[in-house]
Amino acid sequence: MVNSTYFTTIILTGYLDVAQANYYYFALLIILYITIILANSLLIGVIVVERSLHEPMYILLCCLFFNELYGSAAFFPFILTSLLNTSHEFTLGSCYVQIFFLYTYASVEFGSLAVMSLDRYMAICHPFLYRSVVTCNRVYILIVLVWLIAIIKLSINISLSSPLKLCGNVIEKVYCDNFLLVKLACSDTNVNNIYGIIGAIVTIILPSLLIVYSFVKILRVCLNSSVETTQKAMTTCIPQLVSFLNFSLGCSFEIFSSRFDKVQMHFMLRVIISVYFVICPPFLNPIMYGIRLSKINSAVKKHFRYFQQPLKSVQN
């Protein structure tokens, strides 16, 4: 007998084990979210205001920080609201909206990091061509392309997933996951699976290969350069490399926990691993770049002193 009853809602069971401590997690997450908003917004503001930072590398950083805010906005309000609600049942429409924003964030993050690594490759391996090849206008075009590719890819993804009829509605996470949602479908999902593989190659594997290639070339140049040149190169390259490793490992953990659900893992550990890619990079990146990059550090201090002067005059 063919099952004619299909589900139109999704239940996220990731909240069930945190019900006893939901206010604790709410307080922790809202502090994290406020910190992420303030840190990323501060650095975006400094880069926009400070004319000396209107260079390709810092424009790309501004794009990265904007994407951190974008991804955080797709995740934190949803999870904060869900922690306070007793019902964790969501419509398919709201699930697809969250999938679109979270997956776009991940795709843009990989694309931005790839363009940033290409910028550092040109600056260090071909310094005489850098000014003529890597211009602000070309960087703007690359940023637009990264966003367009992500939006088009996810639009096609959603258009393939949304017509599917679901024979189940339980996802063991705290947010909607496209792969797990497709697994609940009663109908054939071969097209979805093939497109998912192609999408992963385009948005994850190709950017990762470009990043690895760029940093291998940079490392070779550094090994044959003076200590001073190497230190200068590493000052700008290490934060980017740490950002890439942090984000790619977070995404790998998330994919691993979703695809290999038979692996024995504590439920809370599975939840923490699944949200790592959308919590830690937006929190750590602005702090790391703000500390490691001297020009940003100096610009932040400069504008902080500028705002302190009116306050001192008012107090006096």
Side-chain angles (χ1 to χ4, degrees):
M1 182 176 177
V2 178
N3 183 9
S4 58
T5 303
Y6 302 116
F7 291 94
T8 58
T9 59
I10 293 294
I11 298 173
L12 300 177
T13 61
Y15 295 97
L16 300 181
D17 277 16
V18 302
Q20 302 300 321
N22 56 347
Y23 291 107
Y24 168 78
Y25 289 112
F26 179 88
L28 178 63
L29 287 173
I30 201 167
I31 291 171
L32 272 172
Y33 188 36
I34 291 171
T35 305
I36 286 169
I37 291 174
L38 292 176
N40 285 281
S41 299
L42 172 65
L43 294 189
I44 289 172
V46 168
I47 292 171
V48 170
V49 171
E50 185 61 43
R51 295 187 63 84
S52 64
L53 297 179
H54 293 181
E55 299 176 1
M57 184 177 78
Y58 300 104
I59 292 170
L60 290 169
L61 275 177
C62 194
C63 176
L64 185 73
F65 298 143
F66 175 80
N67 190 49
E68 313 289 19
L69 291 175
Y70 174 85
S72 300
F75 174 75
F76 280 95
F78 178 87
I79 194 171
L80 289 169
T81 305
S82 301
L83 282 170
L84 298 180
N85 288 338
T86 54
S87 172
H88 301 119
E89 189 171 5
F90 305 91
T91 64
L92 280 175
S94 63
C95 252
Y96 285 124
V97 168
Q98 189 184 42
I99 287 169
F100 177 85
F101 284 111
L102 282 180
Y103 280 52
T104 304
Y105 154 74
S107 179
V108 171
E109 192 84 353
F110 272 114
S112 298
L113 291 171
V115 177
M116 289 169 68
S117 70
L118 188 61
D119 169 76
R120 290 299 86 201
Y121 164 75
M122 288 300 300
I124 296 167
C125 299
H126 303 284
F128 298 109
L129 295 174
Y130 178 73
R131 294 290 180 184
S132 59
V133 174
V134 185
T135 63
C136 290
N137 287 336
R138 286 175 180 170
V139 166
Y140 291 135
I141 292 170
L142 288 173
I143 290 170
V144 171
L145 283 175
V146 166
W147 278 91
L148 275 178
I149 290 170
I151 291 170
I152 292 169
K153 173 188 171 294
L154 265 299
S155 297
I156 297 172
N157 204 335
I158 298 298
S159 67
L160 290 174
S161 300
S162 55
L164 295 174
K165 303 296 183 181
L166 305 184
C167 291
N169 72 334
V170 176
I171 294 179
E172 294 184 352
K173 278 193 174 182
V174 294
Y175 60 88
C176 297
D177 182 289
N178 188 68
F179 176 79
L180 296 180
L181 199 149
V182 169
K183 280 181 67 176
L184 298 173
C186 311
S187 52
D188 180 62
T189 59
N190 285 331
V191 175
N192 300 74
N193 295 331
I194 292 171
Y195 183 76
I197 293 171
I198 295 172
I201 292 171
V202 172
T203 59
I204 298 176
I205 295 176
L206 290 180
S208 298
L209 289 175
L210 177 60
I211 292 167
V212 171
Y213 172 82
S214 298
F215 281 111
V216 167
K217 288 290 187 180
I218 289 169
L219 181 61
R220 285 184 178 177
V221 170
C222 290
L223 290 175
N224 296 320
S225 303
S226 64
V227 175
E228 184 181 351
T229 303
T230 301
Q231 287 177 345
K232 186 177 178 181
M234 289 298 102
T235 299
T236 58
C237 289
I238 287 177
Q240 290 187 16
L241 185 58
V242 172
S243 294
F244 168 65
L245 292 174
N246 189 34
F247 185 73
S248 59
L249 286 174
C251 286
S252 299
F253 290 154
E254 194 279 332
I255 293 169
F256 183 82
S257 64
S258 297
R259 271 61 174 177
F260 303 99
D261 52 358
K262 293 182 180 179
V263 175
Q264 295 298 320
M265 188 185 300
H266 190 274
F267 187 78
M268 275 307 300
L269 179 60
R270 187 186 292 268
V271 170
I272 293 169
I273 284 175
S274 71
V275 300
Y276 182 92
F277 80 104
V278 77
I279 289 181
C280 288
F283 176 72
L284 295 176
N285 282 347
I287 297 172
M288 178 175 59
Y289 283 107
I291 294 172
R292 291 284 303 178
L293 299 183
S294 58
K295 287 187 73 172
I296 290 183
N297 200 332
S298 299
V300 170
K301 290 177 181 177
K302 171 187 170 183
H303 288 282
F304 184 72
R305 286 195 298 268
Y306 175 79
F307 284 111
Q308 271 188 325
Q309 288 174 359
L311 291 175
K312 288 181 179 179
S313 62
V314 170
Q315 290 173 356
N316 293 332

